[in-house]
Amino acid sequence: RIEGVLEDKFAGTAFMRLCGRSPKDGDPLYPSSLLKRYRRTLSELARDVGEGDSPSPNTRFRALLRVPTLRIGSSEEAMNLLLTSERVYADIIDWLDYGEPEQIVLREFEPSLKLDYEFRAYVNENSLNAISQYDHYGVYPELVGLKDEIERLIRAKWKIVHPLVGCPSYCIDFGYLENTREVVIVELSPFLECTGPSLFSWSGAAGKILREGPFEFRLREEEYPTLERLVSSSLSAPRWKTSTHYKFFYPPPTLASSFESFSNFIGRGVDAVKAELFGEETVQLTEFPESTPVLGDGESVLLFVYGTLKLGFHWNEKYLFRSQFLATGKTQTKLRLVVGNSGVPYVLGPVNNGGIVPEQEKQQSLEMDDSTNGKCIEGELWCVDQETLLGLDEYEGVPKGYYSRVAVPVRTIGASTSSLNRVAFIYILNNPPPALLSLPLRASYDLEWHRLNYHAINHILVKQEEYLELDETVRVSDH
């Protein structure tokens, strides 16, 4: 998939990272070429600053930062970085324990964007309180003369961007492009202590500036005390001296041997690949029994989806790739479907004040009458295999107790299908917070409404705040 995206979207070269961080500590597949690039860059920088053949630790450090270790030109380069990075390993463990699966992100590689000229701005309660050079180790003398211009450009860009963010507090990284004398946005991060403070700190007087001001723009003026040791240890690391192909540790899957070549595999297209990997057999809704969501062989189950797993949504393509759409339908049980402030739909389960809700109580909580003001909700019926179901359980946080998967009666709707009564699994939110319990109930959630109201930044903030276990009143306010 990486190979195909590189060719189709990026003409063969891209910048790679995960959602949270980049694999900057990973081993490059071709370290010798990057080492040559470092030496050439070092020579140019040393000449420019008048240091000749005796570059300072600061100049050596700057040259190291300009080596494009995260520029990939093949899937093998990408996998080598991902599978040898401790940062990636730690992030995936974190997400497995506390959140949803990580994602590989490819972006256009911008050669004129240098880490020397990247800056982090801190916005709290709609106020731009501080700016810092992003890298907090190096000294960049040329930035002193550019400081006023860079601040002016960042402020101008921020005034355009801020109304579009839709969140009062966040951190935003900018890059200054020297050739065109403009700034571009690099990324957004939460205004939380999990985001690096650069030349500030989240505590003490510096933390007060980040939260309250007065505004300050910080550049490093003196060389970092242990920079010499930092540079030496970086360049002496094995990642620069030997080329260890990731397949030495991770042999290719046997599946690959069933295809003539990887390029042929990619070239077959999505439908052909799905058919070859998962088979062409289809299941009819009439094959499912009326009393259980599980088909007789136990390999297939009936799943009712009501929100972002429906057809047309990004998450449908991602998580139901190998599943089969059967029909639209409506639950025969009245459910409490609400949409949070970030535009995410939830079917609310029982409240148990922090305790574990017994399975029987979860099921009984869905057997509502008119007094609950619930609604029969519309959605889709899908046939999914056990592997997909387990993946969805992980995604929804069932093993962690965030959601439960319970069975509900569903009746098909639509002119093309005779009405059928079936039982299907559905995901419900355990222990919903008071902020969700007070929201109006809905009977459906569709793609048009999602496009108008979904707020990705707030959605991610909710997850990150829960991950950091912030105060409950802060967490529920952003749902």
Side-chain angles (χ1 to χ4, degrees):
R1 291 180 63 188
I2 292 174
E3 195 77 30
V5 171
L6 277 174
E7 293 300 325
D8 294 343
K9 305 292 185 181
F10 297 98
T13 302
F15 170 86
M16 182 188 68
R17 58 170 297 158
L18 296 186
C19 294
R21 295 194 292 179
S22 62
K24 64 175 69 175
D25 61 328
D27 293 347
L29 187 59
Y30 306 112
S32 59
S33 62
L34 292 178
L35 200 54
K36 289 179 182 177
R37 174 70 175 266
Y38 164 73
R39 289 168 179 158
R40 184 170 67 250
T41 304
L42 177 61
S43 177
E44 294 170 355
L45 271 176
R47 183 192 62 225
D48 292 345
V49 299
E51 294 177 350
D53 296 330
S54 301
S56 65
N58 189 69
T59 301
R60 292 166 60 203
F61 177 73
R62 293 182 62 181
L64 195 59
L65 292 186
R66 292 189 181 183
V67 177
T69 55
L70 297 177
R71 181 177 64 185
I72 60 168
S74 70
S75 57
E76 289 192 331
E77 288 182 277
M79 294 306 295
N80 222 76
L81 288 171
L82 292 169
L83 293 173
T84 58
S85 168
E86 291 187 17
R87 287 160 60 93
V88 169
Y89 179 79
D91 286 356
I92 290 177
I93 292 296
D94 264 359
W95 281 110
L96 286 174
D97 288 342
Y98 302 106
E100 64 184 67
E102 264 285 8
Q103 299 180 73
I104 298 172
V105 180
L106 298 181
R107 297 173 59 174
E108 181 180 357
F109 184 81
E110 175 54 72
S112 61
L113 184 60
K114 304 173 184 176
L115 195 59
D116 318 26
Y117 293 159
E118 285 192 32
F119 304 88
R120 174 159 288 174
Y122 298 85
V123 180
N124 190 36
E125 297 300 327
N126 302 303
S127 174
L128 176 59
N129 291 336
I131 301 174
S132 169
Q133 66 182 61
Y134 178 83
D135 163 57
H136 55 285
Y137 291 110
V139 177
Y140 308 107
E142 67 273 21
L143 291 182
V144 176
L146 295 170
K147 187 176 180 181
D148 291 343
E149 178 185 357
I150 291 172
E151 180 185 338
R152 177 180 59 80
L153 291 171
I154 287 178
R155 285 186 177 276
K157 179 71 75 171
W158 175 70
K159 287 180 180 179
I160 297 172
V161 171
H162 179 64
L164 306 176
V165 175
C167 179
S169 303
Y170 53 91
C171 300
I172 180 169
D173 295 346
F174 295 94
Y176 175 72
L177 304 183
E178 189 177 13
N179 294 338
T180 57
R181 303 177 77 88
E182 62 178 329
V183 296
V184 294
I185 298 170
V186 177
E187 68 177 13
L188 289 163
S189 303
F191 191 82
L192 297 170
E193 293 186 14
C194 59
T195 299
S198 296
L199 289 175
F200 290 89
S201 169
W202 286 105
S203 60
K208 187 175 182 181
I209 292 174
L210 297 183
R211 293 177 176 87
E212 304 174 13
F215 175 82
E216 188 172 337
F217 186 169
R218 289 188 177 182
L219 301 174
R220 178 169 287 283
E221 299 175 355
E222 297 180 355
E223 186 174 289
Y224 193 75
T226 59
L227 192 61
E228 168 67 41
R229 187 170 60 189
L230 177 65
V231 174
S232 297
S233 62
S234 297
L235 288 173
S236 63
R239 67 192 294 249
W240 294 106
K241 300 185 180 302
T242 57
S243 177
T244 303
H245 198 289
Y246 74 91
K247 289 183 179 178
F248 179 80
F249 299 104
Y250 301 92
T254 55
L255 177 66
S257 63
S258 66
F259 298 97
E260 298 83 2
S261 68
F262 185 72
S263 60
N264 287 342
F265 173 70
I266 291 296
R268 295 184 178 203
V270 172
D271 292 337
V273 170
K274 286 178 66 175
E276 187 135 10
L277 291 177
F278 312 128
E280 295 180 329
E281 294 184 6
T282 59
V283 176
Q284 301 299 319
L285 185 59
T286 52
E287 297 179 45
F288 280 90
E290 294 188 22
S291 58
T292 174
V294 181
L295 202 57
D297 59 6
E299 292 300 317
S300 299
V301 301
L302 202 56
L303 179 69
F304 182 81
V305 298
Y306 54 86
T308 55
L309 287 174
K310 294 197 301 182
L311 285 170
F313 287 85
H314 158 76
W315 295 269
N316 174 274
E317 297 177 5
K318 181 176 179 181
Y319 293 108
L320 295 180
F321 173 81
R322 57 190 293 168
S323 303
Q324 181 187 341
F325 170 79
L326 297 176
T328 57
K330 179 181 287 189
T331 64
Q332 297 302 288
T333 298
K334 292 186 176 181
L335 303 172
R336 294 175 294 174
L337 173 64
V338 301
V339 179
N341 291 339
S342 55
V344 177
Y346 304 91
V347 168
L348 306 183
V351 180
N352 199 350
N353 297 324
I356 298 176
V357 182
E359 289 298 325
Q360 184 178 4
E361 186 177 333
K362 293 172 187 173
Q363 194 69 49
Q364 289 175 347
S365 72
L366 298 182
E367 298 172 0
M368 304 176 181
D369 54 29
D370 291 340
S371 64
T372 63
N373 294 320
K375 295 178 182 288
C376 295
I377 63 174
E378 298 177 8
E380 298 172 353
L381 285 167
W382 285 75
C383 174
V384 302
D385 59 25
Q386 287 291 338
E387 184 178 347
T388 299
L389 191 67
L390 290 175
L392 286 170
D393 284 352
E394 288 288 343
Y395 168 66
E396 300 287 5
V398 172
K400 306 177 185 71
Y402 302 158
Y403 277 77
S404 292
R405 174 165 48 83
V406 298
V408 296
V410 178
R411 186 172 182 82
T412 61
I413 57 176
S416 61
T417 307
S418 300
S419 293
L420 295 173
N421 293 320
R422 289 295 183 267
V423 173
F425 284 125
I426 188 174
Y427 289 102
I428 63 170
L429 179 66
N430 292 333
N431 293 317
L436 291 182
L437 293 172
S438 62
L439 293 174
L441 300 177
R442 299 178 60 89
S444 64
Y445 182 87
D446 58 36
L447 189 58
E448 182 179 358
W449 198 95
H450 172 84
R451 286 170 175 161
L452 292 173
N453 297 280
Y454 176 62
H455 199 299
I457 293 175
N458 278 350
H459 191 198
I460 295 301
L461 279 174
V462 168
K463 296 175 183 179
Q464 289 174 323
E465 288 170 349
E466 289 177 343
Y467 168 67
L468 292 173
E469 296 182 349
L470 296 182
D471 183 79
E472 185 73 14
T473 58
V474 176
R475 294 199 344 235
V476 301
S477 65
D478 283 333
H479 275 82

